[in-house]
Amino acid sequence: MKNFALIGAAGYIAPRHMRAIKDTGNVLVSAYDINDSVGIIDSISPGSEFFTEFERFQEHAFRIRRDPASALDYVAVCSPNYLHHAHIAAGLRIGCDVICEKPLVPSSALLDELALIEKETGKRVYNILQLRHHQSILDLKANVAQERREQKHDVELTYITSRGKWYMESWKGDPRKSFGVATNIGVHFYDMLHFIFGKLQRNVLHYADNYKAAGYLEYESARVRWFLSIDANDLPETVKGKKPTYRSITVDGNEMEFSEGFTDLHTTSYNEILAGRGYGIEDARHCVETVEVIRTSVPSVPSPGEAHPFFSTLGKV
């Protein structure tokens, strides 16, 4: 049994981490968030300590280190994106391995900094890259590897996840804190594309604002037109009024179905980490570099055949 602490306990994704900790036979010892809407702890780990001030959380972690039986083994980080680096570093320096949500950090330079802290502390950072455990994605990866075709696959990625007015009032709507739509809702898709289709060779941005982004990615074995949005107006007419989310990935004209099978992926990720097979800093580097380029690029007019079909509805760059 391992002892866990959780940073960002009031966030949307935190309950999945709490359940993963419990379902893998471990214990949530303490949790921290500046917000106190964390009643879900009662149904998962009612004995957990809880703090709304980081200084008290950190002091408690150092104090329980004196007894090996109570000392923390892992810190899970579910805080806002812009705080990931600071919280990961704090967890490592407390003497724990750290499990963090995506995006791990916003830049390759901060990945290098985390690698240095790993060496200084002897502890490890693990990134939750749960789509790498999804069976449909594993099957597609195996098929692509087996086929070994000379011509690159033609891929179209569309992800529209409607968000209400609250979104722009929260940290997620502030690009200084979320690093923008492509990073906040797209980073796991870019990791998935790299996982399946290999090294990225071209990265072109066609459009970006606070609500949506579009562009073109070319991998070793795929040409990808992508579109991401949090605007409900972008939903296809067949979906509007019925579902708030539209997710579509086509490979050579064939739709890849992976709308199901997400329920236990965090628990699977935790099992892999605990077994010594977790994804670390270098595994996350590719998707961090991808979103870093997208975030710092100036949109350009698409070359023939490289524009996502929805680009025509966005106006000129």
Side-chain angles (χ1 to χ4, degrees):
M1 182 180 292
K2 301 293 184 181
N3 293 329
F4 279 78
L6 190 148
I7 297 174
Y12 164 78
I13 206 66
R16 297 189 192 181
H17 285 259
M18 294 181 194
R19 293 190 184 100
I21 291 167
K22 181 178 180 179
D23 290 347
T24 53
N26 300 296
V27 58
L28 180 64
V29 172
S30 65
Y32 157 74
D33 202 294
I34 60 172
N35 299 308
D36 58 10
S37 298
V38 292
I40 191 169
I41 292 177
D42 291 343
S43 63
I44 297 176
S45 183
S48 171
E49 300 288 344
F50 176 70
F51 305 94
T52 57
E53 296 168 325
F54 190 77
E55 294 84 355
R56 294 181 61 230
F57 166 81
Q58 193 172 40
E59 190 278 331
H60 175 261
F62 278 117
R63 176 156 42 86
I64 62 177
R65 283 180 62 183
R66 293 170 181 158
D67 181 358
S70 64
L72 294 174
D73 299 295
Y74 289 88
V75 172
V77 175
C78 307
S79 52
N81 298 350
Y82 74 107
L83 293 173
H84 283 182
H85 177 263
H87 287 155
I88 292 168
L92 293 171
R93 288 169 175 148
I94 287 170
C96 300
D97 291 328
V98 177
I99 301 171
C100 185
E101 270 295 333
K102 302 172 302 296
L104 198 60
V105 287
S107 68
S108 55
L110 286 178
L111 285 179
D112 293 339
E113 174 66 18
L114 289 181
L116 180 60
I117 300 173
E118 278 190 331
K119 292 180 180 178
E120 291 171 346
T121 60
K123 297 299 179 179
R124 288 286 311 278
V125 179
Y126 299 99
N127 201 190
I128 295 290
L129 302 175
Q130 73 269 33
L131 289 185
R132 296 192 182 199
H133 301 300
H134 194 289
Q135 192 56 54
S136 295
I137 291 167
L138 290 170
D139 291 343
L140 177 59
K141 177 179 172 64
N143 290 338
V144 167
Q146 185 175 12
E147 190 173 358
R148 294 181 180 177
R149 55 189 277 174
E150 292 184 9
Q151 185 177 1
K152 294 187 178 185
H153 295 276
D154 186 48
V155 179
E156 198 169 280
L157 165 65
T158 310
Y159 182 52
I160 303 165
T161 178
S162 306
R163 295 291 185 261
K165 295 179 180 179
W166 68 269
Y167 188 94
M168 298 309 294
E169 296 298 322
S170 74
W171 65 266
K172 295 183 180 182
D174 185 343
R176 297 170 301 174
K177 296 181 177 181
S178 69
F179 310 118
V181 169
T183 299
N184 195 45
I185 71 169
V187 65
H188 55 296
F189 289 114
Y190 303 131
D191 176 69
M192 177 198 72
L193 291 167
H194 160 60
F195 182 63
I196 296 171
F197 298 112
K199 187 177 180 180
L200 183 62
Q201 297 173 331
R202 279 188 71 210
N203 185 348
V204 183
L205 180 67
H206 296 153
Y207 184 90
D209 62 24
N210 289 334
Y211 299 89
K212 61 198 77 176
Y216 174 80
L217 297 164
E218 188 163 336
Y219 294 87
E220 288 177 283
S221 58
R223 294 161 44 89
V224 182
R225 299 178 298 277
W226 61 269
F227 177 82
L228 305 170
S229 174
I230 59 168
D231 185 353
N233 294 316
D234 291 322
L235 290 168
E237 292 300 324
T238 55
V239 175
K240 284 183 179 178
K242 299 176 183 178
K243 295 180 180 180
T245 298
Y246 176 75
R247 181 193 294 112
S248 174
I249 297 179
T250 63
V251 180
D252 301 322
N254 299 311
E255 185 105 24
M256 186 177 85
E257 174 55 46
F258 73 116
S259 57
E260 305 296 334
F262 287 89
T263 308
D264 300 319
L265 292 184
H266 275 72
T267 298
T268 301
S269 297
Y270 268 66
N271 274 321
E272 291 296 298
I273 291 168
L274 291 163
R277 297 186 296 267
Y279 292 115
I281 288 174
E282 292 310 311
D283 297 298
R285 186 174 294 276
H286 196 282
C287 61
V288 168
E289 290 177 345
T290 300
V291 294
E292 184 177 13
V293 170
I294 290 171
R295 196 170 56 250
T296 56
S297 292
V298 175
S300 61
V301 176
S303 298
E306 294 183 0
H308 188 281
F310 285 22
F311 177 78
S312 61
T313 69
L314 300 177
K316 296 180 180 180
V317 295

